[in-house]
Amino acid sequence: MTQGLRPYGELRDRVRNNMAPLFSEQIELHGHIIDSLILPKVLDEILTGGGTFRHDASFACIDVFGNSPGQVDDIVRRLRQHGAEVVERKPASLAEAPADGVFPDEFYVTSNQPTFVQVGDQWIEAQPVTMDCGIAVDLELKQAQTVKFFQVRKGMKIAVGHHGIRVTPVQRSTDRKSVFEFMASNVSSEKPKSAVIREIAAEIRRARKEGGKILVVSGPAVVHTGAGEHFEKLIEWGYVNLLFAGNALATHDIEQALFGTSLGVYLEGGALADEGHENHMRAINAIRAAGGIREAVAKGGLTKGIMYQCVKHKVDFVLAGSIRDDGPLPEVITDVIEAQKAMRARLPGVTIALMMGTMLHSIAVGNLLPAQVKTICVDINPSVVTKLADRGSFQAIGLVTDIEPFLRELTQFIAASETSG
Amino acid sequence: MTQGLRPYGELRDRVRNNMAPLFSEQIELHGHIIDSLILPKVLDEILTGGGTFRHDASFACIDVFGNSPGQVDDIVRRLRQHGAEVVERKPASLAEAPADGVFPDEFYVTSNQPTFVQVGDQWIEAQPVTMDCGIAVDLELKQAQTVKFFQVRKGMKIAVGHHGIRVTPVQRSTDRKSVFEFMASNVSSEKPKSAVIREIAAEIRRARKEGGKILVVSGPAVVHTGAGEHFEKLIEWGYVNLLFAGNALATHDIEQALFGTSLGVYLEGGALADEGHENHMRAINAIRAAGGIREAVAKGGLTKGIMYQCVKHKVDFVLAGSIRDDGPLPEVITDVIEAQKAMRARLPGVTIALMMGTMLHSIAVGNLLPAQVKTICVDINPSVVTKLADRGSFQAIGLVTDIEPFLRELTQFIAASETSG
Amino acid sequence: MTQGLRPYGELRDRVRNNMAPLFSEQIELHGHIIDSLILPKVLDEILTGGGTFRHDASFACIDVFGNSPGQVDDIVRRLRQHGAEVVERKPASLAEAPADGVFPDEFYVTSNQPTFVQVGDQWIEAQPVTMDCGIAVDLELKQAQTVKFFQVRKGMKIAVGHHGIRVTPVQRSTDRKSVFEFMASNVSSEKPKSAVIREIAAEIRRARKEGGKILVVSGPAVVHTGAGEHFEKLIEWGYVNLLFAGNALATHDIEQALFGTSLGVYLEGGALADEGHENHMRAINAIRAAGGIREAVAKGGLTKGIMYQCVKHKVDFVLAGSIRDDGPLPEVITDVIEAQKAMRARLPGVTIALMMGTMLHSIAVGNLLPAQVKTICVDINPSVVTKLADRGSFQAIGLVTDIEPFLRELTQFIAASETSG
Amino acid sequence: MTQGLRPYGELRDRVRNNMAPLFSEQIELHGHIIDSLILPKVLDEILTGGGTFRHDASFACIDVFGNSPGQVDDIVRRLRQHGAEVVERKPASLAEAPADGVFPDEFYVTSNQPTFVQVGDQWIEAQPVTMDCGIAVDLELKQAQTVKFFQVRKGMKIAVGHHGIRVTPVQRSTDRKSVFEFMASNVSSEKPKSAVIREIAAEIRRARKEGGKILVVSGPAVVHTGAGEHFEKLIEWGYVNLLFAGNALATHDIEQALFGTSLGVYLEGGALADEGHENHMRAINAIRAAGGIREAVAKGGLTKGIMYQCVKHKVDFVLAGSIRDDGPLPEVITDVIEAQKAMRARLPGVTIALMMGTMLHSIAVGNLLPAQVKTICVDINPSVVTKLADRGSFQAIGLVTDIEPFLRELTQFIAASETSG
């Protein structure tokens, strides 16, 4: 596959530079080729087949009609999420927040795409890119900030309506040097995955080389399926910069480290020895007695496992609480809004996110990530993968597979490329 | 929803005829708006929002480049499935079939889209539209026929390569008067379904009014879930013209008619009385003793159920065999190729197909249907729906839901519209 | 089915009282009929078939052997969850909690079954019955309390080891007057559900008549699937005493009440009008501006929907936060441990729990409920149902089906039985 | 795990022989311990925990009561499937088949358990053990044969009613030396699978060593997921004696061998190159042109892949047709009843069956296998595994996992044990 990928850039450059010799044919398409999605599919086929085409960045000017001004307004507001601009431009309207934690009526709701606000005759980007926020504008500093409900203070100037706001969706490059741009959708359970996992390994290596932070979001299935040892290797080798998880992952990992079981099941013995919840509860108790995970490591009580490796290799982690939690462990942030803040504070610099075996945490983190962060979602449940990978971006891929063999193969590819350079 | 649909046609006519007063706004899009699928989404949003736009049937002329002539050839061959034509035109190449049941090398493989072959300077449509066939050309009669392996006779002239072949994909109309054109993809288990089922009821009524044949493809789950009575009503009311099923549907239906159980479960009593396979086997035996389903009805031994209604109301049916079958019933065609022929022979005139609770039969029938037949697939398993509804056409919708409540609601909507006119 | 159920009690009484005339046959079983589960299946078949059998409450005395005293200890500890008692009796061992929030080593971990502690020569029940707790014993008051981590105070006397502790598992009655005792496991998507739903309706009516509290645990799918109106009827008719849900259910319900959409989808128009997250955010903002749900109802801003009905009919509710939440609404308890406390405080008196369309909340609540509370779990995802219904009790049933038709049919059965008496 | 398993046999022998020193404790159980399944669970826990118990092969004599003789009869008929015998014994009733292919009324329907018919005062086993058959008795030869519908000839003596018929269900040994006896149910996607796969490898090696035939039933997912190379190794190493599959497996395997694609997807390149159905059709055409798979191998046209290895290593295979088939390949048996006969004829000697990635074929073969054949079912779809593994025997285990990593690990374990001896 990697060989198959190389020609694109070259071909494209040759076409751009009118270099010879190239093989070509001219084709024609007729009919509703745009709204029937035929033209995009055709261009897709050309790139997928290893070819390229002559094209220019496009421009379209469209007249939108409706039965009432309100309807046209509604349509245009939604079109903005796709980058549409109204031709007649005016500055964004601003209104004051009526109370702490409350937006003014008709506040503009952000997407996960880069968004700009027109203040005077200037376009200012709202920072950080986050969906489901309002935009607070500081007219003096000429700054725009995406704000969550809890950040709203009475009197803040908030963008309302949809005029003077421009969205620039992350677009697909035609270079296609990345596995993310190849995958139109998910890799189903019926597809071969080795080649895709090799590409993911390459992406993760590239992210590290380029200094991007690698975020892992993980559920307890990583421990249940026996994938913990592979995850530990990723940490040891420096491929995890940040871990977002819950009480369950940490507890099952520590139960495994202390007692050799996960939810009472001996990982060595398969489904054979079901101890019930006892070890689980004792693992929590042991860490509570020590005062926390870091303290348990410091005191020598916790000497292996994912959480141990995180402490040892100084990997920053956020453990967010849920109402299913037993315990919880002292590090768990039991207030969910505080947990969101803690996660959001650590996102700057993240360029790639690997989400494994957790719908709750993956969706929560997905809601915090800007569209340009590359996202890989792995789950054996196809509906989780569909939900997560379908974020309307060219930066997310989903794999329907078992987590243990996925991580085993991923670490093997990374190890191989480490030694080969 | 129906109200919401009406304005489209009017709006479109107003725009076409430049009639006033209309409300409009002009928007602009920049960047890779076609290959990033942004333009199609924008047009979609406008129609979905109840608006319309000024547009013309489009035309595109694209230069395709590759590293070798073979690569360009491969790409262009695939593009034809989307309706692309090469600008330099020449007649289709033909080669003789080397033996009965064997195509010549490089034979052109059809899709489920209307396909034309250039013979001399004439374009001839290959009939009937069927995927995974070759195209046999009769040079004297100027006819082209899609042929399956078993239909190939030594010496037949078969289209090879990809020149001189044109595909005209079924395109989405912008009228959007149909539920099929609204549904970009599937209706997941988490979406409300009543409105969609109402539209499907309207489509089925429309199909009957316009004289199209209504095909139902059904698995035994229709009986297991207790939906048999609703299905019977559809037959009684004349909304089923053709039934494709297997031994299992007929056997469980007859078991239910004779013994009140389905796979040993009393439908009245839920999961309470599991009789095992006995009634199932006795039902088969009773019909075999009578000489067949039609004979059992004629002799008064079978007096209710889906198969009884089919016989009574002269609904044509094909029961195709599978290796899971017990018995089978005398009407079952145990040779799968013969069963395919029997189904294919009955397809002309079918304009709508309702597939419920069977992956095997639904895929088999889906492979036989031309793309313009409207297809509704209902299953509680999302992966079945995904597989079936994803046929690359704007004519297929899938619903992830329980079959019994689906059919109950469908018959209620049809009954209501019957009485209201 | 209901007719089919009546004879059991009579038959049993006749057998107990040696009344004539009865039809009977004597059967024999040989071999490993107990550990191969053959005897239980045989007794099950007899009851399922409408018969009864002569039997006595049984007694077994078993010698357990192991390779080491530790192994025997481990085995016996697990056997206690099934009600096994060691013949040699001694009082429970108690140890002091070493710190607030920390149990002593080897603390006994409770199940969801009634559990007794031997203090002196007295057996005291640990209250309330809750799994994954320790047992704190008050030697003066002769009381035993199940305590969560956060309830532990330094110096509390906590039961350790497994001597002097007796579990009395909830047993299946042979009366079988209840649907819960009929359902060995789940009702799969392929089974007829009407009869089961009728029985569930009868159970819910019985619970209310007998003065038990009816708890509903619900996810937002109730609103997405269009089932909100049915749920509202249950509330109006007095069949909901307590609602446990999250920010999502309340927000989508309020979005639906204020804007007619759920996650931007018009329920009337199916999947047609996807407004994105805007209405969702505006719904939250409107309630925050009002000061809360109850305030919004009081001020006339919220006049329909599930939450409105809860306020109007004084149904107590707990909204627990999760890290996916937008907003949240003012009533949401964002600290998950506080949310657990709030739910646990409302459980006394609950005799039946209906869990619909939420894995997170259902598991969380399942962990708080004693085994004797009858639990019904409804979800279209079979893995959720399996996880929840498989609680090792004869009091839980699961239905794999769509929530909207389930609730529609449930309310129809309840309405019918209301009018018929 | 293997260590954990060894003590059972020794412990059991020690207990049987009253050898010392052993550690033991005596426990008591009260209440409805049998029909509430408490006693079986307790014994299960003891064995699972590595202990053993003193027990005897059990015996139970139960009085069954009903409201009518018919009801008692119905119940007793079902109880026979579990091995129950009526105390009053009489020979089996026989009736003549009224016509070819038709059983007499009330014919006894077999299960997949060993079944004996009383002829005179002799118990004769019906051969071969197959479910959903009638039993034809040859009074002169004193033989009983299980017969399918198509085998019935007019005048055959067929067992009717339920007297004089005895079923001896396969029982669970308490030795527990086998993974099949450990697995009460399925291994879900959330459990670690390495240990179980190691045990399956050991079972397969044991089966071969003991001279049993190893049957593999496989769907095309083995090829799609890229597991073909592992499967080929199993064949090369002599671990496959018999292959039951369909046209799809063979076609995709041959497509992969000839073109490097599976359903148009290059296995090397992941989901990148979707060629559509062309290669698939050309693969079929190439084999049809050669005259068949064996001929294509003989002529040197097919030089790798699963089917090639089967031909090379003389592995017998049955390819059964389905109505979804394209082509089909010449070896495919298109008549489903003929295909059933072909499979049934090859079953004698099979002791272990590995079913992967096919619901249709797995259920079809499952219906033909006697209960004592050990069955392993692997699929990523939990509902397939549930359906197949739930055959009411202690001889079936199911794994919810991806097929490629499963087969990769299985071959690694087999390779490791080969070299280690």
Side-chain angles (χ1 to χ4, degrees), chain B residues 331-400:
Chain B
E331 273 86 353
V332 171
I333 303 174
T334 58
D335 188 282
V336 294
I337 299 299
E338 293 305 314
Q340 284 181 0
K341 286 184 204 171
M343 291 190 288
R344 215 180 159 204
R346 283 160 178 83
L347 288 181
V350 169
T351 61
I352 197 163
L354 174 58
M355 299 172 168
M356 298 182 293
T358 166
M359 185 148 81
L360 176 66
H361 284 260
S362 296
I363 292 178
V365 175
N367 287 350
L368 300 176
L369 289 175
Q372 60 263 43
V373 172
K374 289 168 178 168
T375 306
I376 301 143
C377 172
V378 184
D379 207 294
I380 202 164
N381 184 338
S383 60
V384 173
V385 172
T386 302
K387 230 173 196 164
L388 290 166
D390 183 22
R391 303 186 64 227
S393 99
F394 293 104
Q395 303 287 86
I397 59 173
L399 269 83
V400 178

Side-chain angles (χ1 to χ4, degrees), chain A residues 211-378:
Chain A
K213 273 160 72 177
I214 300 166
L215 163 66
V216 176
V217 181
S218 173
V222 169
V223 180
H224 295 159
T225 59
E229 56 177 305
H230 313 309
F231 193 3
E232 289 185 53
K233 281 182 202 158
L234 282 187
I235 298 169
E236 285 184 63
W237 300 344
Y239 285 102
V240 181
N241 301 107
L242 192 51
L243 171 66
F244 290 173
N247 187 59
L249 170 76
T251 300
H252 295 159
D253 169 62
I254 292 166
E255 178 191 342
Q256 165 70 3
L258 299 183
F259 303 103
T261 62
S262 167
L263 264 183
V265 176
Y266 284 106
L267 290 191
E268 283 303 298
L272 306 182
D274 196 332
E275 285 267 344
H277 287 185
E278 297 215 345
N279 289 346
H280 174 74
M281 295 293 287
R282 292 194 204 297
I284 294 169
N285 199 51
I287 300 299
R288 288 176 71 103
I293 298 168
R294 289 181 182 88
E295 290 77 359
V297 172
K299 292 172 183 169
L302 183 65
T303 59
K304 57 183 177 174
I306 295 167
M307 298 315 300
Y308 165 78
Q309 296 289 359
C310 283
V311 172
K312 184 177 167 196
H313 294 280
K314 300 190 171 43
V315 172
D316 198 7
F317 60 84
V318 175
L319 301 180
S322 96
I323 53 167
R324 305 176 41 168
D325 290 351
D326 289 310
L329 297 169
E331 272 86 353
V332 170
I333 303 174
T334 59
D335 188 282
V336 293
I337 299 299
E338 292 305 315
Q340 285 181 0
K341 286 184 203 170
M343 292 191 287
R344 216 180 157 203
R346 284 160 176 85
L347 288 182
V350 169
T351 62
I352 198 162
L354 174 59
M355 300 172 168
M356 297 182 294
T358 165
M359 184 147 81
L360 176 66
H361 284 260
S362 296
I363 291 178
V365 175
N367 287 348
L368 299 176
L369 289 175
Q372 60 263 41
V373 172
K374 289 170 179 169
T375 307
I376 301 144
C377 172
V378 184

Side-chain angles (χ1 to χ4, degrees), chain A residues 98-318:
Chain A
D100 282 9
V102 181
F103 287 107
D105 286 352
E106 298 300 310
F107 69 108
Y108 180 85
V109 179
T110 56
S111 69
N112 63 358
Q113 304 283 5
T115 303
F116 296 80
V117 190
Q118 191 177 351
V119 181
D121 51 3
Q122 241 186 307
W123 287 101
I124 304 170
E125 184 173 6
Q127 291 280 10
V129 176
T130 319
M131 66 185 282
D132 287 342
C133 286
I135 300 176
V137 176
D138 186 319
L139 290 169
E140 287 183 23
L141 297 176
K142 300 274 182 196
Q143 286 180 346
Q145 189 194 355
T146 49
V147 286
K148 292 268 178 197
F149 279 105
F150 66 82
Q151 295 172 302
V152 178
R153 287 293 158 268
K154 191 177 177 198
M156 267 187 178
K157 304 267 185 277
I158 305 291
V160 294
H162 61 269
H163 285 278
I165 292 173
R166 192 163 70 183
V167 176
T168 56
V170 176
Q171 297 189 352
R172 177 156 63 162
S173 87
T174 51
D175 289 32
R176 299 196 156 242
K177 62 177 182 288
S178 150
V179 68
F180 292 91
E181 288 159 358
F182 264 103
M183 302 290 143
S185 67
N186 301 333
V187 180
S188 85
S189 61
E190 287 188 356
K191 291 280 173 63
K193 288 162 208 92
S194 282
V196 177
I197 296 172
R198 196 192 307 138
E199 290 295 308
I200 291 171
E203 281 288 338
I204 288 175
R205 291 201 71 208
R206 190 175 304 130
R208 192 178 69 161
K209 198 178 292 173
E210 293 171 357
K213 273 160 72 177
I214 300 166
L215 163 66
V216 176
V217 181
S218 173
V222 169
V223 180
H224 295 159
T225 59
E229 56 177 305
H230 313 309
F231 193 3
E232 289 185 53
K233 281 182 202 158
L234 282 187
I235 298 169
E236 285 184 63
W237 300 344
Y239 285 102
V240 181
N241 301 107
L242 192 51
L243 171 66
F244 290 173
N247 187 59
L249 170 76
T251 300
H252 295 159
D253 169 62
I254 292 166
E255 178 191 342
Q256 165 70 3
L258 299 183
F259 303 103
T261 62
S262 167
L263 264 183
V265 176
Y266 284 106
L267 290 191
E268 283 303 298
L272 306 182
D274 196 332
E275 285 267 344
H277 287 185
E278 297 215 345
N279 289 346
H280 174 74
M281 295 293 287
R282 292 194 204 297
I284 294 169
N285 199 51
I287 300 299
R288 288 176 71 103
I293 298 168
R294 289 181 182 88
E295 290 77 359
V297 172
K299 292 172 183 169
L302 183 65
T303 59
K304 57 183 177 174
I306 295 167
M307 298 315 300
Y308 165 78
Q309 296 289 359
C310 283
V311 172
K312 184 177 167 196
H313 294 280
K314 300 190 171 43
V315 172
D316 198 7
F317 60 84
V318 175

